[in-house]
Amino acid sequence: MENLRIVFMGTPEFAVGILDHIVTQGFNVVGVVTAADKPAGRGKQIRQSAVKEFAIKNSLPVLQPLSLKDPAFLSELADLQANVQVVVAFRMLPDVVWKMPKLGTFNLHASLLPQYRGAAPINWAIINGEKQTGVTTFFIDDKIDTGAMILSKTTEIGPHENAGELHDRLMDLGRVAVVETLEQISSGEVNRVPQPEHNNLKDAPKLNKDNTRLDWNASAKAIENQIRGLSPYPAAWCYFRDGEREWQVKILAAEKMTEDNYTKPGKISTTKKEIIVSAQDGSLNILRLQVAGKKVMTASELLNGMSFSPDAIAC
């Protein structure tokens, strides 16, 4: 451990849990690289990244380059004299950065590589109905998420687990994986396993408004998985339309009904406490949702102030 000088690169809360564990385990973190401060929220107040907030509280030097090729940043990075770099939920690094430390730069990825390379592996594993996932550490090369693997750790995905819950468990698993990887590097005995290539690789592309929108013509199970895989953020969404009225709605929790009298896809049915939407082959009981501009509510809470006609649909 004492022979390592570590620069940590990351931005969101997921990365904080890893950095915290590295520091707690007594490793020498000589600097942190994170995203520049930027305006966020309705008030456009300048907000620091979660990693920066942690670094400041723990008196770790912070670098926030706008460009990773900026000569001034590269000079500052070199001055830290790191011999290994750890990357968690950061952006793609140019060669001049990832090649800098003598012992290499490795990344923690929240999937069992080579599956789910890309920006949103936790979400897509659930959306696609996987029963198992995990984390992998690998040395960075000149492509995205393709470098030689060091180690992987596996976990089961619960049948009702959402992306937020899985995120927290993978962060805990990632803490262990990163520290074990650092211990391997420190000992000079590092496993390097080339990633296997085959024709059935599944990607984890960035989430956007198109691929988070619900299609009620899909199967009820596929829709349930999509809702789980996008909850609590950014959340699966659709429109509720009732005559001349239309609302954009995020759906944060739903369950496939075991027995129902579904009709055409998108048909909304209600009881005093339930909102039920038909899919291609069944129906879903909507448990938690958020109408645009409103707080998150249960179906029962929404129905206290809103009613639906027999012609209401989700689309």
Side-chain angles (χ1 to χ4, degrees), residues 134-155:
V135 295
T136 307
T137 57
F138 68 96
F139 282 109
I140 289 178
D141 61 15
D142 56 358
K143 296 177 183 156
I144 297 177
D145 301 337
T146 60
M149 298 183 293
I150 306 165
L151 61 85
S152 295
K153 293 193 175 291
T154 303
T155 188

Side-chain angles (χ1 to χ4, degrees), residues 179-195:
V179 164
E180 288 185 9
T181 300
L182 287 170
E183 288 170 347
Q184 280 191 27
I185 292 172
S186 178
S187 72
E189 299 179 2
V190 184
N191 260 334
R192 291 174 179 260
V193 180
Q195 292 191 36

